[in-house]
Amino acid sequence: MSPVADPLPPVTLEEAFGPNAPVVMFDEVSLAFDDKVILEQVSFTLLRGHTKIFLGASGAGKSTILKLILGLLKPDSGVIWVYGERIDNMSERDLLHVRDSLGMVFQEGALFDSLTVRENVGFKLLEETKMPLPEVFARVEEVLGFIGLAEHIDKMPSELSGGQRRRVAIARAMTAKPRILLYDEPTTGLDPITAITVNEEIIKLRDLENVSSIVVTHQLRDAYYIAEHAAHRADGRVIIERADEDKAEEAEFIMLRDGRICFEGSAGALRASPDPYLRAFLS
Amino acid sequence: MLKVTTDNWLKTAVLEMQEYVLLSLRAIRYCFSSPFYFRDVVEQLEEIGIGSLAVVVLTGFFTGAVLALQSGFTLDQFGARSMVGRLVSASMVKELGPVLTALMVAGRVGSGIAAELGSMMVTDQIHALRALGTDPVRKLVVPRMLAGTFMVPILTVIADGVGILGGWAITVGQLRVASSVYWNSVVDALYIQDVWMGLIKPFFLGFVIVSVACHVGLRTSGGTQGVGRATTNAVVAGSVAVLAVDFFVTKLLFMLMY
């Protein structure tokens, strides 16, 4: 009779990858709704402070990836790690704790209609923490100041423009200081000038607050802008300028097609790709 | 083809029932654990209770009045006009008060809840809540369910009282029956079991109205059209559920109390 080997103890991401462990990892993740395949064998990693930009046609499965990271959907197969915790088989109660590390900016903002900008931005701190009110409101003012909307603090969402709503949504997502921010079509439907303002907020959060980002979009111009620009402080002011080559390499593009990854690489590699589908998408 | 359609309909119906039961059980369980959003409960008590007061008072008054009017002329044929009070009070307290109040609340509150939660669903606000670490069942469903369960009985008592007053107005003003005769008749007709029945049933009806509306609201999909559909479904399903639950609870209470 052959000896039965002891099962291997579970290995955490830190043990497997060391201190540079990815903050998000998808391993062969698949998801289908009835007969419709949404994602098929999708694998990628997001490193701390880096950016992943998901491109693809409508219905390619881009937004689904964000919902899987948040645990709003469960995959049919595959493994998802977020900040060292395996979340694909986690209960809703445990996921609430994982979501403390995450912030999400939904398409159109998804601000709470019945709450003011102040209450929207401070929602998590007001409802889910025991932080004293003065501290909550101080943090809300700080965050709104960071994104340049301090004067709109007492307005209702319906009084804001589309761009302002997106920026308030970014403020809401960053109030509780998440370590990863997820953006679902943050600039869709915005005029080019407002879109650049939103892009700059994303860059500022990534480079000044060291927040890892996943951006889902089909606005190529905005995707390149986020990938190829960097923010730094100089004389107390925030400067946004073209990133050097190393910095630009930290932003990686993933192109989805029919639920599968058909390209993964830097902005330069994407531009140079000879793939006819990519060429058609980029043209 | 017919078999496939029937199978699909049955599957959907069973799935909806399963989801409804799971939501209700979760909401009941969450009433006894933290976090508990007390401020939202108070807001909903006001929204459902105070907000429905006018419609319930009007419904109660006119129901009592028309009951006196109709029964007065019928009882007159038997020389029993003085018994109008008995009929009004027994009908209002045991059946019409609870059921009509519940139907009015189903129309006003059920549609409002389904529209509100449905809009939040289609604009991703429910997902946003979850992403911010808030459980939508605790934050949205539990306060509404508690408010519905406790405000519908109070509204029912008010509707009963106003209905009996409406009956009094017609009995005294039109049927020319002495006020004291009417009030004696009202009290004579009521047994303690009737009062209990009139008080117990609205707890079940309030719960079912709000839980159905929350379930329908949280299952909304398909944009603004879906919100419209959810609102209609909440009122229709809520009203049918009120009548069905009323029947079964009445039957149960008859077995237990009479």
Side-chain angles (χ1 to χ4, degrees):
Chain A
M1 195 172 131
S2 62
V4 179
D6 287 338
L8 289 171
V11 178
T12 65
L13 275 191
E14 275 78 9
E15 285 166 350
F17 291 91
N20 291 326
V23 290
V24 175
M25 190 167 121
F26 269 48
D27 186 14
E28 308 268 300
V29 171
S30 299
L31 176 70
F33 294 140
D34 296 325
D35 296 334
K36 186 172 170 22
V37 175
I38 308 294
L39 294 176
E40 199 175 352
Q41 307 271 303
V42 170
S43 301
F44 70 88
T45 55
L46 172 69
L47 297 177
R48 194 185 307 261
H50 286 210
T51 307
K52 278 269 186 261
I53 300 171
F54 283 86
L55 297 170
S58 297
K62 307 186 298 292
S63 300
T64 307
I65 286 178
L66 301 186
K67 287 180 178 159
L68 284 166
I69 295 171
L70 276 167
L72 301 178
L73 293 173
K74 299 269 183 211
D76 295 335
S77 64
V79 180
I80 302 171
W81 298 84
V82 174
Y83 251 96
E85 298 200 63
R86 188 175 165 179
I87 63 146
D88 54 280
N89 54 4
M90 228 179 220
S91 69
E92 183 72 15
R93 171 180 265 199
D94 294 331
L95 278 168
L96 292 178
H97 151 71
V98 173
R99 288 176 194 147
D100 287 344
S101 316
L102 300 165
M104 168 106 178
V105 178
F106 285 86
Q107 261 183 52
E108 314 287 339
L111 297 179
F112 304 126
D113 307 324
S114 54
L115 305 181
T116 62
V117 168
R118 184 197 303 270
E119 290 162 335
N120 261 290
V121 174
F123 185 87
K124 189 178 175 86
L125 301 179
L126 287 168
E127 298 288 345
E128 303 303 330
T129 68
K130 291 190 168 61
M131 191 184 271
L133 272 185
E135 283 181 41
V136 172
F137 290 140
R139 172 69 183 151
V140 169
E141 283 164 22
E142 180 193 348
V143 169
L144 283 172
F146 183 81
I147 60 160
L149 285 177
E151 70 273 24
H152 299 289
I153 193 163
D154 288 318
K155 287 188 176 168
M156 298 302 285
S158 56
E159 297 173 73
L160 303 175
S161 68
Q164 287 169 337
R165 275 203 290 272
R166 304 290 169 92
R167 287 160 66 201
V168 170
I170 293 175
R172 183 177 67 180
M174 65 179 276
T175 312
K177 301 186 176 170
R179 293 178 288 182
I180 306 166
L181 268 172
L182 314 171
Y183 302 89
D184 191 2
E185 309 271 10
T187 56
T188 302
L190 300 181
D191 63 83
I193 306 290
T194 313
I196 285 178
T197 316
V198 172
N199 293 336
E200 288 178 348
E201 301 306 338
I202 297 171
I203 294 166
K204 275 159 62 181
L205 278 170
R206 179 191 64 198
D207 297 341
L208 305 180
E209 306 282 320
N210 202 28
V211 176
S212 316
S213 321
I214 296 184
V215 182
V216 158
T217 184
H218 52 236
Q219 311 285 320
L220 267 177
R221 202 184 58 166
D222 297 326
Y224 282 132
Y225 191 91
I226 293 166
E228 295 177 334
H229 284 77
H232 63 90
R233 285 188 200 278
D235 303 328
R237 287 174 47 232
V238 177
I239 309 285
I240 293 177
E241 58 191 12
R242 209 164 173 83
D244 58 37
E245 208 166 298
D246 287 346
K247 182 70 187 167
E249 288 287 318
E250 290 181 2
E252 206 169 38
F253 286 76
I254 291 182
M255 173 74 87
L256 288 174
R257 184 183 181 186
D258 298 332
R260 297 186 78 104
I261 293 178
C262 67
F263 171 85
E264 189 169 5
S266 65
L270 180 65
R271 281 200 184 92
S273 170
D275 185 291
Y277 179 76
L278 291 182
R279 303 267 20 117
F281 196 89
L282 299 179
S283 59
Chain B
M1 180 69 188
L2 183 66
K3 187 180 178 305
V4 173
T5 313
T6 313
D7 281 357
N8 285 342
W9 185 87
L10 273 175
K11 266 188 212 164
T12 311
V14 170
L15 179 71
E16 287 295 323
M17 183 51 85
Q18 173 191 299
E19 294 296 318
Y20 169 71
V21 171
L22 286 175
L23 176 71
S24 301
L25 292 177
R26 261 178 79 191
I28 292 169
R29 208 174 67 232
Y30 286 171
C31 291
F32 305 101
S33 62
S34 64
F36 184 78
Y37 298 94
F38 184 74
R39 204 183 55 185
D40 294 78
V41 176
V42 175
E43 276 175 16
Q44 289 305 318
L45 285 171
E46 190 198 343
E47 169 63 30
I48 294 177
I50 310 292
S52 306
L53 199 57
V55 70
V56 164
V57 164
L58 286 172
T59 309
F61 182 85
F62 287 112
T63 305
V66 81
L67 209 56
L69 202 59
Q70 292 278 19
S71 58
F73 286 111
T74 310
L75 289 171
D76 221 13
Q77 294 169 11
F78 304 99
R81 191 185 280 192
S82 58
M83 309 286 270
V84 170
R86 278 174 174 260
L87 213 138
V88 171
S89 67
S91 309
M92 282 305 295
V93 171
K94 283 204 285 190
E95 204 51 56
L96 289 178
V99 170
L100 288 179
T101 303
L103 287 176
M104 287 298 119
V105 174
R108 203 194 82 84
V109 174
S111 59
I113 289 174
E116 188 183 359
L117 301 194
S119 308
M120 289 183 77
M121 200 69 203
V122 298
T123 55
D124 266 340
Q125 290 178 53
I126 300 285
H127 279 149
L129 264 184
R130 290 174 70 195
L132 288 164
T134 300
D135 188 325
V137 177
R138 285 188 191 277
K139 174 81 181 160
L140 301 172
V141 179
V142 169
R144 284 164 177 76
M145 228 177 239
L146 284 174
T149 306
F150 288 102
M151 288 318 290
V152 171
I154 293 172
L155 290 169
T156 301
V157 171
I158 294 170
D160 291 348
V162 175
I164 293 170
L165 269 179
W168 169 81
I170 292 297
T171 309
V172 173
Q174 193 163 343
L175 302 177
R176 301 290 170 204
V177 173
S179 185
S180 59
V181 172
Y182 176 82
W183 288 115
N184 279 333
S185 169
V186 163
V187 176
D188 281 349
L190 287 179
Y191 295 95
I192 191 69
Q193 291 97 325
D194 301 337
V195 177
W196 277 119
M197 181 180 281
L199 285 176
I200 291 169
K201 279 200 294 190
F203 283 97
F204 290 91
L205 302 181
F207 175 84
V208 86
I209 293 165
V210 178
S211 54
V212 165
C214 288
H215 165 74
V216 173
L218 290 176
R219 303 269 296 166
T220 305
S221 60
T224 46
Q225 211 176 17
V227 176
R229 227 174 11 242
T231 310
T232 310
N233 288 347
V235 176
V236 172
S239 303
V240 173
V242 161
L243 297 173
V245 168
D246 177 59
F247 169 76
F248 288 113
V249 174
T250 303
K251 201 161 168 52
L252 182 73
L253 292 176
F254 264 121
M255 280 161 53
L256 295 175
M257 295 198 309
Y258 287 86

